[in-house]
């Protein structure tokens, strides 16, 4: 069995040019962040499994974590901590106006799917102001290339993971995340599942915005239609409860970078 990181090295991504050239204090447009491959994790909290797996393989440099169960203060504390990512240190941050990222508000899905929702609620107080913060990390000098990429960027968005997928990937950028960590949270306050037969399942297939790879939490989540486990690749362990995650692939997923498109490399 091959380690997942070794398998994913077959799809190495050159670091996006904006990240290569970033200097502390620079402003980065959100569209630049979205220009390369995205590792997407709805309901993420601060689970580092997605970053650890993709970064070691050098296959994704920019990650989008989406959760409405944490406060801004905690996000700033966690992301700005020198020990946030083992072997890395933060070198700068960018904050984007929330209304620019999600111009239709925190919640928008196709109108015909709204009746499926039951007991939608947020796990935080109503007076919490939404936010979108990106932290940029650089590898420590004592770590080699085999440890991970020279730099990576993590954006934390206070929002609903299903609505964010629909607004960002379907309506605005019309491209899917390259790698998606799929985990349902039974007690997490979500109004619907992320996995099979949920609203997100309907959205990705209706609009054919399909992640190329999915890291599925096998203990909690049923896989979407059209995906199959990658044979001969070991699972990874992650999350609060050390759950096994298996790598899935969709052959019908089409990405611009497969054709030499949006991944701007140097």
């Amino acid at each position: 069995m091959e380690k997942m990181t070794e398998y994913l090295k077959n799809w190495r991504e050159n670091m996006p040019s904006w990240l290569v050239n970033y200097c502390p204090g620079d402003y980065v447009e959100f569209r630049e962040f979205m220009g390369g491959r995205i590792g997407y994790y709805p309901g993420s909290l601060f689970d580092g499994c997605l970053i650890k797996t993709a970064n070691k393989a050098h296959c994704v440099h920019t990650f989008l974590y989406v959760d409405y169960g944490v406060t801004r203060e905690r996000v700033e504390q966690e992301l700005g901590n020198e020990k946030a990512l083992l072997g890395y240190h933060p070198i700068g941050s960018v904050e984007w106006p929330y209304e620019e990222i999600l111009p239709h508000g925190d919640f928008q899905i196709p109108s015909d799917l709204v009746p499926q929702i039951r007991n939608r609620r947020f796990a935080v107080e109503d007076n919490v102001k939404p936010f979108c913060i990106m932290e940029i990390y650089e590898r420590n000098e004592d770590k080699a290339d085999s440890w991970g990429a020279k730099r990576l960027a993590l954006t934390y968005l206070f929002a609903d993971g299903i609505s964010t997928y629909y607004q960002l990937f379907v309506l605005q950028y019309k491209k899917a995340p390259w790698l998606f960590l799929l985990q349902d949270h039974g007690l997490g306050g979500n109004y619907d599942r992320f996995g099979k037969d949920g609203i997100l399942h309907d959205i990705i297939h209706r609009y054919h915005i399909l992640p190329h790879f999915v890291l599925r939490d096998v203990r909690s989540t049923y896989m979407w239609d059209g995906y199959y486990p990658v044979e001969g690749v070991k699972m990874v362990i992650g999350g609060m409860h050390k759950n096994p995650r298996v790598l899935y692939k969709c052959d019908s997923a089409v990405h611009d970078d497969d054709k030499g498109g949006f991944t701007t490399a140097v």
Side-chain angles (χ1 to χ4, degrees):
M1 295 284 283
E2 184 179 20
K3 289 185 177 180
M4 192 179 298
T5 54
E6 292 301 313
Y7 173 80
L8 288 173
K9 284 180 181 178
N10 293 312
W11 286 272
R12 286 175 69 105
E13 177 198 44
N14 291 323
M15 189 184 301
S17 58
W18 72 264
L19 188 54
V20 173
N21 299 320
Y22 176 81
C23 294
D26 284 354
Y27 184 77
V28 179
E29 298 286 347
F30 186 71
R31 60 178 177 79
E32 293 183 278
F33 170 83
M34 290 291 293
R37 294 176 182 171
I38 300 295
Y40 185 63
Y41 191 170
S44 58
L45 196 58
F46 298 104
D47 177 5
C49 180
L50 177 65
I51 297 176
K52 180 179 179 180
T53 303
N55 181 56
K56 192 173 181 64
H58 293 255
C59 64
V60 178
H61 292 83
T62 49
F63 301 86
L64 179 58
Y65 276 30
V66 177
D67 204 319
Y68 54 54
V70 289
T71 63
R72 179 193 179 97
E73 290 73 23
R74 186 178 176 194
V75 169
E76 291 179 336
Q77 180 182 11
E78 294 282 350
L79 269 58
N81 192 315
E82 288 287 337
K83 298 181 180 179
L85 296 176
L86 185 63
Y88 287 81
H89 59 279
I91 61 171
S93 61
V94 176
E95 181 170 3
W96 293 294
Y98 188 81
E99 57 273 14
E100 290 185 15
I101 309 305
L102 299 179
H104 301 288
D106 69 279
F107 183 74
Q108 184 189 43
I109 61 173
S111 59
D112 63 310
L113 297 180
V114 174
Q116 297 184 28
I117 297 175
R118 298 290 185 272
N119 300 322
R120 177 175 178 265
R121 65 183 179 86
F122 282 81
V124 294
E125 299 296 329
D126 293 336
N127 62 357
V128 173
K129 185 178 180 180
F131 56 87
C132 184
I133 302 172
M134 174 177 68
E135 195 77 31
I136 299 168
Y137 300 90
E138 187 168 270
R139 193 178 64 217
N140 295 344
E141 292 184 359
D142 63 337
K143 300 300 181 184
D145 188 68
S146 59
W147 184 266
K150 175 70 173 178
R151 288 178 172 179
L152 62 91
L154 169 59
T155 292
Y156 209 106
L157 174 62
F158 181 98
D160 165 36
I162 298 173
S163 177
T164 296
Y165 195 97
Y166 179 59
Q167 291 195 62
L168 283 184
F169 297 105
V170 175
L171 297 183
Q172 295 188 50
Y173 291 91
K174 296 177 172 57
K175 60 175 255 190
W178 192 82
L179 179 62
F180 188 118
L181 200 153
L182 181 62
Q183 177 177 355
D184 282 317
H185 308 273
L187 300 176
N190 294 332
Y191 58 86
D192 193 47
R193 64 178 67 89
F194 295 132
K196 182 178 173 62
D197 295 331
I199 293 173
L200 183 58
H201 185 181
D202 289 342
I203 289 173
I204 67 169
H205 282 284
R206 174 182 299 185
Y207 299 98
H208 202 71
I209 304 295
L210 306 167
H212 193 67
F213 287 107
V214 174
L215 198 54
R216 173 204 165 204
D217 190 298
V218 297
R219 286 184 181 170
S220 65
T221 314
Y222 292 102
M223 192 63 228
W224 305 319
D225 294 334
Y227 286 80
Y228 61 89
V230 179
E231 294 184 1
V233 174
K234 293 181 180 179
M235 66 179 63
V236 294
I237 305 298
M240 182 184 303
H241 303 293
K242 306 300 181 184
N243 288 355
R245 276 87 182 258
V246 173
L247 188 66
Y248 281 72
K249 190 174 186 293
C250 178
D251 287 337
S252 62
V254 177
H255 291 262
D256 290 346
D257 62 321
D258 296 333
K259 301 173 289 185
F262 64 71
T263 302
T264 304
V266 296

